Structures are given as structure tokens and as C-alpha cells.
Amino acid sequence: MNEITKDTKAKRKAILSTPAKYLMVLALFLGLAALLFFGRLVWFYPHLPLERATVPPIDEANIAPESAEYQPFKDRPVAGNGRVIIDLSHDNNLEVNDLSPLRDRLEARGVTIVTHSGINGSLRDQLRDATALIIVAPTMRYSAEERDAIVDFVEDGGLLLLAADPTRPVPEDDEFDSLYSALYPTSAVPVINSVASAFGVVYYDDYLYNLEDNAGNFRNVRFAALNKSNALTKGLDTVVFFACHSLRSDGVALVVGDANTLSSVRTGETDLAAATLSADGHVLSLGDVTFMTPPYHTVEDNDHFLSNIADWLAVDRRLRDDIEDFPYLFGRPVDLVPIGDDLLDPQLVTRAGEWQAFFNQTGLTLSLRTEAESEHDAIFIGTFDNVEPIEDHLSDAGVTVTLVEEEEEEETARGGAAGEDETPKSHVTIEGMGSIGIEGTTLLALDRSDDSIVLIALAEDTEAAIEAMERLITHDFTGCVQADAATVCSSGEGPRETREPAEEPGEEEVPTIGRIFILEDDDKAVGSRTGAAELEAILSPRYDVTVWPMKNDGVPEYEDMTGYDVYIVDSGDYAAEEDNYDALLAMQYIEQGGVMFIGAQPLAMPEEDQLAPIDDLQVDDASHPLAAGFELGEPITLLPSESGVPATVMSQEDTTESQIVFRRGPDSAEAGAPAVVTISQEYYGESIHLVLATFAFYRLPEDAQRTFALNAVEWMMGE
Amino acid sequence: MSISAFLTRVGKALLWVIPPILILVAAWLVGASLLPQPAVGIIRLNTDIWSFSASLVQAQIEAALADDQIRAVVVHINSPGGEVVATQSIFLELQRLREQMPVVGSIDDMAASGGYYVAVAADPIYAKPSSEVGNVGVWALIPTDLAVNDVILTSGPFKLTGSNRDEFLRDIEGIRLEFVETVFSQRGERMGLSRAELSQGLLYPGRTAVNLGLVDHIGTLSDAIEDAAERAGIANHRVVDLEKRVLTEMYSDSYGTEMWIASADPLTGERSLPYGAYLLYDSRLRGAP
């Protein structure tokens, strides 16, 4: 058994000693090596790479940019007439030839084109004989006076073309930083809106774009929705505007974007208008300028549109039916006829020669005659005491001249001093206006009742009558009050008529001359309204009144506020705001005249100022002109405040140097505290009258409103 | 035991040990050679795109192609865009790379304009929830329009300027269309925007961009790396910063050179931009040219 075992072991030993045994070991290690290799494979590359999608090619067919289509248009001008003013006095952002296509078309229609640069007279002067005004890309704000002139012009039948676009902002002074100013422009939209808003048009500070269908670029917008019924857009299929504003207008939309034409700021809005015409057809507003300029005026139907615009501008729609249209109200040769022997003096003859030259410059003729020819228009010039030859004309103009003998006037004066009934002085009565004494007064009356046009200039004496004619020539109607067919001016020599306070409604009124600026301080957060509308209604029949709503128009600038006799800052029932001194800042522009601050909290105040409701007033100083017509001791109950904002309680210290005219009434909190005070100051040699009233004007009863407003204005004017 | 007998026994023992060891070593060497540890390369675009930055990206692409171990690439983008041609150059090079290996995009802060143009060369694209993505379009300063004159005589109307306003506008429009079609070709049906909407040039937050199909996933660079590895079928890989490798090769140890590429003027930080650009114009980037 042991031998067998030993033999087996020996055999095995012999086997293990063979090369086969050796190879087995090597194979084992080779297997280990393979395992190592595949382990590494699985470790680092656990699966095959995912199938990669091929890189997709680009569809080149879609890369085909379009260009704007230039389309020639043969202009067929129809003879027109008129005088078109192109206003370039407001730093207009235009290149030299930008308006050439429009100018060429206007000239082809026989229209006279005048460029107003601002150095050849005021815009109002330029518009006197104009038929149309073109305002393109202005970058300097229009003053209130200019805006009024344009409004008057349009109301008088003039045509107004407004155009502005977002690529024409306010130019920067620093030409070396032009790129910066191009990228960060100062918008000129407020500038164009300073005119457009007067006609119910608003330019939005945006640009229109269309990413779906455009003329080569998103901002080159194709407009196919054109008003086919309007002559301006009749016959057009498509116009292209090159970066244009959207507009809002009370009138008719002429050019409207489609559903894909969007505004850069009016998110989600469509059907946006890019050109509008006012309801009366006198104001055309365009949101783009570039489409009028070379070469873009030839794109699509732009040129046709431009011709239509030229046709529209070349029609004289101007009404010339009042004195302000002098001398263009005359359509025939004019005879200058003196009335009264004493006017036939050398001075008149000399002046008549100058006036003839003036008429000649305007294409009219003027002849000095002793009698008007029937086929001519006429100007009668004379004095009030010699109106018999022209009474019919005066009557047609609604004017009656009443002369009172000098002795009678003196008697009246003595009687008035003794407290007796007053007898009328010599005066002129004008329909719709009232009466005014002839002393220191000049009258301009217009009779258009017959075929001929008759203008009458009357004054106290020859010199004043000539001055009246000079007013017409120079168009200087400052200090004048105008009715339908007559204008009354102060010659500055005589006393103004004074109005008896608290006169009954319907009582004959005597015109007073002066300009009033009402600053409606309504840009506050808390409050309801001001009394500017009531003030305007009361004062405008007698005075030239301008209302400036700060909420809409912002803070007025120097040029907006100069030249007025009285300034009224009406903050109504608004609560004063800390750090909101804009109304006071605006007051720095006042150089002379009277100022009234009226409102619940009429001045910006420090926090410690006391506030309390005010419900009534009572007169404190009955001798003060401001209290004329009010009863001493009789409370004036104020109407309820619409906002409930309490009023400032003035302390006695506030009024040390002033006069208290009204105090808070017995029903008011802090009864007896000053409510209306007046201050007279000398300011650089000029006398300034100030009124400070701490209640909302609209809260006064209607009759008290009238009395208080007229009293205050007259006192502030120093009358 | 005699010495000779001892040596004989040792020799026999070695005969049993050495060959197997050699086999294992050889197997290891062959495995390492045939199956190296794979890598995912990171190509970085962290600057404006202009000739130099484009050439740097191109060098990274070449490095990825030259390295057998790199089986996938992630393009890490933080760029407001830049020059048109430089951008297109990067795009085309990345497309070439994409034919060789997966290319995954990872947007960091921003892939605006040309930055997004580069991003669409990758597929898929990752972005952070608030990364800024999009701004498709182009802008350029209009060339000066010179009049014909008798001082400089030319052989053709546009010899001096190469263009006029209309032609230039056409060029701009063509470049926009190229951009839009490139995006649509690469994103395909994933795009949730129309061509017109894309042309608005809006910049979208990353999450919105995912919803609109401008990018594919919300995720980090790590997510993008893992996605790239998965697509390449690799695991336990290395990550190779190709920009660092390229810059090291180019400038020895001057890795900070990238900062010099980012802005034209390293002192003021003011950018000096070319006249035609796929570039987000953003004051935050002090982008005034």
C-alpha cells in the first residue's frame, strides 16, 4: 500500500516536472493577463460609444436677405398756391438735402417756400401770411408763445406738417463723442410733443419694428394698411418707414401697422399708427422723417405719398378774416382814407409812404385817398371825435362810439366826488366785449359785411391813430383785447377803466388789458384738483390768460413764463410735498408783475408747519382792494374740499411785513389765523405784489370766486 | 548542498517565476497601450470672441484631436460673443471635432450672441438656471459713405468703402439669417421659438432657454462632463483642461495669460471691439467700443 502511494506520488511528481506542467502554469498566467486586459477594458470603456448624430447642415435657401424695393414714381404736379414755412429754428436734426424731395415737389406746384431760421422775426410773424408750416425733427422745445402762434395759425386754416423719428434725437454738443450720443441719445420726442399735443397728437418715445415682413431690416417697416379714403394715402399700396415712432391722435389714422408691427415700448399693442391726420384735416403728423429723404423717398410708394403730401400742402386753406391777418385779409387794392382834416398832416403822408412799401413787399397795393373807391378795400384812419363818415362801417363791426361833452365829464367827476350818480364818460361800446373809455384807447375795427373789406383805425388823436396803424404793420397786439371784429388797445397814455367790484352778472363789463399766467401746480400725489379752470373762465374775458398744467406740460421754462403781468400759482387742494419745489423754482423766472400763490398748501413747507381744515373766511381788512365787494364780519362759507387735504395755518410771524386781508372764519379750525395775506416788495427796482391764499380757489362760492379773482388781479397789476 | 546544486535549484525556480511575471507585465503594458485611461477634454471660451481668442479655442480643439485619450469634449462657455468671422471659425472647428467625438456644451454665466453661436455647435447644451442665453443677432457700425471724387480715383464704385448703406444693411441681414439658420439647423425641432422671435435678440435665463429649446438641460460643468463621457462610452476617465495645456505649451507657465485675452486693455478693462460683432452690447460688460 505504501509502495503504491509512493509510486503514485512519484508519477505525479514526474508529471509536474514535465514541460506540459510548465505550460499549464504559463497558460494560467496568460489567462490572468487576459482577465487584466478585459478588466481594464470594462473599467474604462464599459459600453460602446453612443451613436453620434451627424452634424446637420444649414439650410442655405433661407439665407437670402431682401432689400428695399426702389420704385420710380412720376410726379404729376397740379398748380397750387401758398406760402409754406419750413421751421428750422429749433435745432432741427436734419441734413442739408433731407427735405429736397419735398421742396422740389412744392416748388413744382408753385408754392413759395420760406425757411424760418429764427433770426428773421418770430414764428408768429412768419406765419402771418403763411398757408402751411412744416416742422421736421425739431430738437429744441417750442415756447408757449410759439405754440400759441401755431395753434392760432392752424385754427385760422393753416396747415401743419409734423414729422419726427427716433433716429433724430437731440444732437450732442460734443462732436467727438458722437458714437456715445448715438448710443445714448437724448430723445427729441418731448420737443415734437410740445407742439403736437396742442392738436391732440402724441408721439410715443418708441420705434416700430416688424420681424416677419420688412424691407431688409426689422425697423424698416412696410405699411400696407393705408387709409384708402383719404387723399393723402389714396392710390398707395405700400409705404416703408425707416425707424418710426408710433402716434396717437384724435383724428384719422393714415398709415397703420399690421399685427406683426410692434412697438419697442408699447408691448403687445398692434395696429399702431405711424401717420395721422387731425379731424379737421389741418394737421398731418408723421412718425418718420427718413422716408421723405433721398434715396428712401423712392422706396415702394414713398414717392407717391410724398407727392400726395405736397398736393395737400399746396392748397391755401387759410382763413383771413380778422385783424391779425393784416394785411393779408385784403384781396384787392387798398385805399388809405384819413377821416378828419387834422390827419392830413405831413407825418401821415410820410408814414403812408412807408406803409405803401410794406404793402408792396407783400404783393398788395396801398393808395392814400380822400375817399375809398367802390372796387377797392379800404383803411379808414382817424379820431374818435370824427367818426360820422364811417358810422355804418362801425355799426357793421359792432362798434358804437359815444362822445360826451368835456364840460359834462367834468361835472360828472365833481358829482362823483360828492357821491352823486355817475354819468358815462366818452366811450366805445363793442359787441361781445363791453365798453371802454376812449381816453388812452385805440380801436381797430373790421367791416366785412360788403364785398369790400374795410379796416378802421381810431384813436384820441392823430399820433395815436398812426401808432394804431403801426401796430397793424408790426403786428404788435400786446396789451390789446380782441373781439370778433374789433380790437381795443391801450395807447398807454390814459388811465384804465376800473371795474366796480362785485358787480352783478350781466352788468356791462369794461375790458382791462394784461396778460396772466396761471401755473396749475397739479403734479402732486395727494389731492383732487385746482381752480385753474374757474380762474381762466373768470379772467379770460378781460385778460390774455395762459394756463400751464404742470402735470401734463412739466415745469415751464424761462421763455414760457416771460412777458406776463400777473402770475397765479394754483395748487388747489393738493398736499405740498417735501422736496417738490418745482412751482417755486418756476417762479424764479418772474422778473416783474404780481404773483398769487393760492391753494390749501400753496408753498412747499417744512414739516413743522401746522395744517388744519379751513371751512370759511372772513374779511379782516375791508379797506384793502382785495376785500372790495366783501362784507366785513360776514363769513364766506367755503364749499367742501374734494380731497380733504387740510390747509396751511399761517402764523402771525409770517405776516409781520404784510397785510392780512382775510382770516379763517369761525367754523374753521384755528379760527382767526391769517388766510389771505398780501405783500408788496421792491425787487430790483420793480414793484412786485404778492398774494398768499391758503385755501383752494374752487371752494369759494361762485360769486365770491369772481370778486376775489378780479380784485386780486387788479391789485397785483397795481391798478 | 553544493553551490552548483544550489544554483541549479535557483535557476529552476526562476524558470518557474519569471515567465509568468513577464506575461503579466506584458499584459499590463499592452492593456495600457491599447486601452489607455480615457479622458474628457474641457475646451474653454471665457472671453470675447476675436481673432486671438478664436485661435486659442482652435488650439484647444487641435489638442483634443491630437490626444488619443480624449474621447469626448465639453465646451465651457462664458462669453458675450464677439467678431462674426472669429465666431464662425470656432463654430466650424467645433463641428469638425464633433464628427470625431461627442461635444457637449456647458454655459456658465453667459452665452450671448456669438457665445451662443459657439454653443450650438455642441449637442447637448447645459446651462445654469440663471445663465444668460441667446441674444441672437448682429450689429455693426455703418461704414463711411465716400463720395466719388477727383483726388482718389478708383476702379469701382465701392472700391473705397466696400459697401454702401443698402449693401451694408443687406450684409447685416444676411449675417442675421446665417445665425438664425445655424441655430435652427443645430437645434432642429427642439426650438420653441419662431425665426422672428429668435431674431428679437432677447437674452433668456437658462431655465427659460431650456423651455424654449435654446439649450437642453439645466446642469453644471460636471453634469456636462459625465454626459460627454457617457456618450463616448467611457468611465473612470480623467478630465483634461485643454486651455491650460495649450497655454502652458504656448507660454510655459503663463496660465494667467487668459486674462490678457479677456480685455483689450488690462489696465482699464475697456473693451476694444470690432466693427462687426456677434456681441451682446451690454453696459454691464463695459461694452462701449
Side-chain angles (χ1 to χ4, degrees):
Chain A
M1 183 69 181
N2 286 340
E3 287 182 3
I4 294 171
T5 305
K6 286 181 181 175
D7 187 53
T8 304
K9 287 181 178 175
K11 284 181 179 176
R12 286 179 182 168
K13 200 172 180 180
I15 291 169
L16 290 174
S17 301
T18 62
K21 189 170 64 179
Y22 187 73
L23 287 173
M24 276 182 64
V25 172
L26 286 179
L28 181 67
F29 276 87
L30 280 171
L32 281 173
L35 194 64
L36 192 67
F37 184 83
F38 284 107
R40 187 180 179 90
L41 177 68
V42 173
W43 179 252
F44 287 135
Y45 303 94
H47 59 81
L48 290 174
L50 301 180
E51 188 178 352
R52 283 195 298 275
T54 53
V55 177
I58 295 170
D59 186 357
E60 294 181 13
N62 287 335
I63 306 174
E66 295 179 12
S67 288
E69 185 182 342
Y70 290 90
Q71 194 162 290
F73 174 77
K74 182 171 174 53
D75 184 34
R76 295 180 177 80
V78 177
N81 61 341
R83 188 166 183 267
V84 175
I85 308 295
I86 299 177
D87 177 33
L88 296 180
S89 65
H90 289 79
D91 285 348
N92 303 66
N93 193 339
L94 291 168
E95 298 295 326
V96 174
N97 292 322
D98 276 353
L99 294 180
S100 295
L102 180 60
R103 296 179 79 112
D104 293 345
R105 279 164 173 72
L106 289 172
E107 284 170 358
R109 285 157 178 76
V111 171
T112 303
I113 300 171
V114 177
T115 299
H116 174 59
S117 62
I119 57 173
N120 47 351
S122 69
L123 184 58
R124 184 177 285 278
D125 289 341
Q126 289 286 344
L127 292 176
R128 285 168 60 184
D129 60 336
T131 55
L133 171 65
I134 296 174
I135 296 175
V136 179
T139 65
M140 194 171 75
R141 193 182 173 90
Y142 282 75
S143 68
E145 190 175 331
E146 289 173 317
R147 188 173 54 180
D148 289 346
I150 297 169
V151 169
D152 292 344
F153 168 71
V154 172
E155 286 177 351
D156 212 18
L159 301 175
L160 174 62
L161 170 61
L162 296 170
D165 72 36
T167 66
R168 296 162 195 274
V170 178
E172 296 293 328
D173 293 334
D174 186 358
E175 62 182 80
F176 298 106
D177 209 5
S178 59
L179 182 57
Y180 181 87
S181 61
L183 297 172
Y184 301 101
T186 303
S187 170
V189 166
V191 176
I192 193 74
N193 277 337
S194 70
V195 180
S197 59
F199 303 99
V201 178
V202 174
Y203 278 73
Y204 286 96
D205 199 354
D206 65 353
Y207 63 84
L208 298 183
Y209 65 90
N210 187 332
L211 289 159
E212 299 282 354
D213 177 25
N214 55 53
N217 189 256
F218 69 100
R219 64 184 200 172
N220 298 350
V221 180
R222 281 197 178 96
F223 292 95
L226 307 172
N227 189 329
K228 304 290 184 188
S229 62
N230 193 285
L232 277 160
T233 40
K234 200 171 186 178
L236 311 181
D237 291 326
T238 304
V239 294
V240 177
F241 282 2
F242 302 84
C244 66
H245 291 301
S246 65
L247 310 175
R248 184 181 62 83
S249 168
D250 298 335
V252 181
L254 297 176
V255 176
V256 181
D258 60 18
N260 294 318
T261 299
L262 305 172
S263 161
S264 60
V265 299
R266 299 168 69 181
T267 307
E269 288 190 55
T270 56
D271 300 329
L272 300 163
T276 64
L277 184 67
S278 61
D280 64 1
H282 283 250
V283 182
L284 173 62
S285 305
L286 304 171
D288 184 33
V289 175
T290 307
F291 90 95
M292 294 192 283
T293 66
Y296 307 103
H297 69 98
T298 59
V299 172
E300 304 276 5
D301 288 333
N302 287 1
D303 228 6
H304 193 169
F305 189 27
L306 203 56
S307 291
N308 288 355
I309 292 172
D311 289 340
W312 177 74
L313 287 168
V315 176
D316 183 357
R317 297 175 173 83
R318 189 76 190 269
L319 303 172
R320 296 182 177 86
D321 57 357
D322 60 35
I323 291 169
E324 286 207 351
D325 295 317
F326 180 89
Y328 304 99
L329 53 89
F330 297 114
R332 303 189 294 187
V334 184
D335 294 335
L336 178 64
V337 183
I339 49 172
D341 296 340
D342 56 339
L343 280 172
L344 290 173
D345 62 18
Q347 188 184 2
L348 176 65
V349 175
T350 304
R351 291 296 183 92
E354 296 169 3
W355 299 340
Q356 281 174 333
F358 169 76
F359 269 66
N360 289 340
Q361 286 174 5
T362 57
L364 297 165
T365 59
L366 179 72
S367 307
L368 184 61
R369 297 180 187 277
T370 56
E371 193 172 324
E373 293 192 8
S374 59
E375 298 300 315
H376 289 186
D377 294 333
I379 299 173
F380 289 100
I381 181 168
T383 57
F384 285 115
D385 55 4
N386 207 349
V387 296
E388 193 176 339
I390 56 168
E391 272 186 339
D392 289 345
H393 293 305
L394 288 173
S395 176
D396 290 338
V399 175
T400 307
V401 177
T402 305
L403 297 175
V404 178
E405 293 298 326
E406 196 170 326
E407 295 79 6
E408 194 177 345
E409 283 194 17
E410 290 173 358
E411 186 65 29
T412 300
R414 283 195 296 274
E420 296 173 6
D421 291 342
E422 187 177 342
T423 305
K425 301 175 182 177
S426 296
H427 62 276
V428 180
T429 303
I430 301 162
E431 280 182 15
M433 184 185 291
S435 299
I436 185 169
I438 64 172
E439 191 178 358
T441 299
T442 57
L443 171 73
L444 299 166
L446 185 64
D447 175 18
R448 299 176 60 96
S449 58
D450 296 327
D451 291 341
S452 59
I453 296 168
V454 175
L455 181 66
I456 299 161
L458 295 176
E460 277 188 287
D461 53 39
T462 306
E463 192 176 346
I466 291 172
E467 288 304 315
M469 272 299 289
E470 289 294 329
R471 274 183 181 274
L472 285 169
I473 300 288
T474 60
H475 238 246
D476 176 13
F477 295 108
T478 52
C480 296
V481 179
Q482 291 177 290
D484 288 343
T487 297
V488 177
C489 304
S490 168
S491 63
E493 294 173 354
R496 290 170 179 166
E497 287 289 321
T498 55
R499 179 195 53 81
E500 285 299 317
E503 56 192 10
E504 293 299 320
E507 188 176 338
E508 193 172 304
E509 295 177 353
V510 179
T512 307
I513 296 164
R515 299 182 72 209
I516 298 172
F517 187 91
I518 300 175
L519 186 63
E520 194 176 5
D521 189 9
D522 56 352
D523 60 342
K524 306 283 197 295
V526 179
S528 171
R529 71 180 187 93
T530 71
E534 288 87 347
L535 281 166
E536 185 182 20
I538 293 166
L539 298 173
S540 57
R542 295 169 179 274
Y543 303 98
D544 181 3
V545 178
T546 297
V547 178
W548 186 283
M550 290 178 64
K551 195 172 189 176
N552 293 333
D553 295 352
V555 181
E557 296 177 0
Y558 174 78
E559 60 265 29
D560 300 320
M561 295 190 63
T562 54
Y564 291 89
D565 301 303
V566 164
Y567 299 84
I568 299 174
V569 182
D570 182 2
S571 56
D573 59 11
Y574 286 91
E577 294 173 353
E578 289 294 324
D579 302 325
N580 187 350
Y581 298 93
D582 45 9
L584 287 175
L585 287 173
M587 290 297 103
Q588 68 182 316
Y589 301 137
I590 297 174
E591 294 170 335
Q592 60 182 25
V595 184
M596 177 164 72
F597 291 92
I598 185 165
Q601 298 174 20
L603 299 173
M605 301 164 298
E607 290 178 352
E608 60 266 23
D609 270 14
Q610 186 182 353
L611 302 173
I614 183 168
D615 294 311
D616 57 352
L617 306 171
Q618 58 185 7
V619 176
D620 183 73
D621 181 0
S623 66
H624 196 286
L626 213 63
F630 293 101
E631 294 295 329
L632 183 64
E634 185 176 321
I636 306 161
T637 303
L638 298 177
L639 301 173
S641 168
E642 292 183 14
S643 69
V645 170
T648 303
V649 179
M650 283 191 283
S651 63
Q652 293 294 337
E653 287 75 19
D654 287 336
T655 60
T656 304
E657 301 298 324
S658 60
Q659 283 182 272
I660 301 170
V661 185
F662 291 87
R663 291 183 182 273
R664 286 169 169 255
D667 292 338
S668 300
E670 302 295 331
V676 179
V677 298
T678 62
I679 305 167
S680 294
Q681 287 183 338
E682 289 295 321
Y683 185 74
Y684 288 101
E686 295 285 346
S687 179
I688 293 184
H689 299 291
L690 299 174
V691 178
L692 183 59
T694 56
F695 58 88
F697 180 76
Y698 74 82
R699 296 183 60 195
L700 282 170
E702 191 174 342
D703 55 343
Q705 282 183 4
R706 180 180 175 79
T707 305
F708 182 84
L710 293 171
N711 286 353
V713 168
E714 285 184 0
W715 180 77
M716 286 188 285
M717 285 187 171
E719 294 170 358
Chain B
M1 183 182 288
S2 66
I3 293 172
S4 61
F6 175 75
L7 292 175
T8 302
R9 291 187 68 173
V10 169
K12 284 181 179 177
L14 289 175
L15 195 64
W16 279 96
V17 172
I18 290 173
I21 290 174
L22 287 175
I23 288 171
L24 289 177
V25 170
W28 177 261
L29 291 174
V30 169
S33 173
L34 294 179
L35 299 169
Q37 184 184 12
V40 174
I42 310 293
I43 293 176
R44 297 186 189 277
L45 173 62
N46 292 331
T47 67
D48 302 347
I49 303 171
W50 59 304
S51 58
F52 195 93
S53 56
S55 65
L56 182 60
V57 172
Q58 189 171 345
Q60 294 176 68
I61 292 170
E62 295 299 333
L65 288 169
D67 189 339
D68 289 341
Q69 296 175 24
I70 294 178
R71 299 304 176 99
V73 159
V74 172
V75 185
H76 186 242
I77 301 166
N78 181 18
S79 173
E83 280 184 330
V84 169
V85 173
T87 301
Q88 291 172 339
S89 169
I90 295 175
F91 173 82
L92 293 171
E93 291 289 354
L94 284 174
Q95 280 205 317
R96 188 165 66 93
L97 180 65
R98 209 167 120 192
E99 290 171 353
Q100 305 299 318
M101 63 183 72
V103 176
V104 174
S106 174
I107 297 170
D108 197 19
D109 285 348
M110 172 182 286
S113 195
Y116 182 63
Y117 199 118
V118 169
V120 296
D123 192 5
I125 306 170
Y126 283 77
K128 316 281 190 301
S130 295
S131 298
E132 295 180 284
V133 181
N135 189 232
V136 171
V138 62
W139 60 268
L141 295 180
I142 189 166
T144 307
D145 204 1
L146 296 176
V148 66
N149 63 76
D150 281 338
V151 178
I152 303 174
L153 299 181
T154 64
S155 56
F158 306 123
K159 182 67 195 81
L160 285 177
T161 58
S163 182
N164 63 11
R165 192 183 189 281
D166 272 10
E167 286 302 317
F168 191 70
L169 193 61
R170 239 177 103 81
D171 292 345
I172 294 290
E173 196 63 9
I175 293 169
R176 177 191 70 85
L177 289 170
E178 180 84 34
F179 197 160
V180 169
E181 290 308 316
T182 298
V183 172
F184 269 81
S185 68
Q186 304 307 306
R187 303 300 300 166
E189 294 181 351
R190 286 172 287 187
M191 282 299 290
L193 291 173
S194 69
R195 284 170 168 76
E197 288 167 335
L198 185 66
S199 296
Q200 289 184 93
L202 285 172
L203 201 57
Y204 302 97
R207 193 170 295 284
T208 307
V210 170
N211 295 332
L212 296 174
L214 270 70
V215 298
D216 297 288
H217 307 292
I218 296 295
T220 62
L221 176 62
S222 300
D223 295 326
I225 291 170
E226 289 313 309
D227 192 336
E230 177 70 16
R231 287 168 188 278
I234 60 174
N236 302 298
H237 54 80
R238 291 182 298 123
V239 174
V240 177
D241 189 330
L242 291 165
E243 185 188 53
K244 184 176 182 179
R245 176 185 288 182
V246 166
L247 285 172
T248 304
E249 289 172 2
M250 291 169 72
Y251 300 102
S252 299
D253 56 351
S254 302
Y255 183 60
T257 304
E258 186 194 355
M259 295 304 294
W260 288 72
I261 302 166
S263 302
D265 186 342
L267 295 178
T268 65
E270 294 293 338
R271 288 160 185 267
S272 176
L273 300 182
Y275 284 151
Y278 287 144
L279 182 70
L280 172 70
Y281 189 88
D282 192 327
S283 59
R284 290 171 297 177
L285 301 172
R286 308 189 69 182

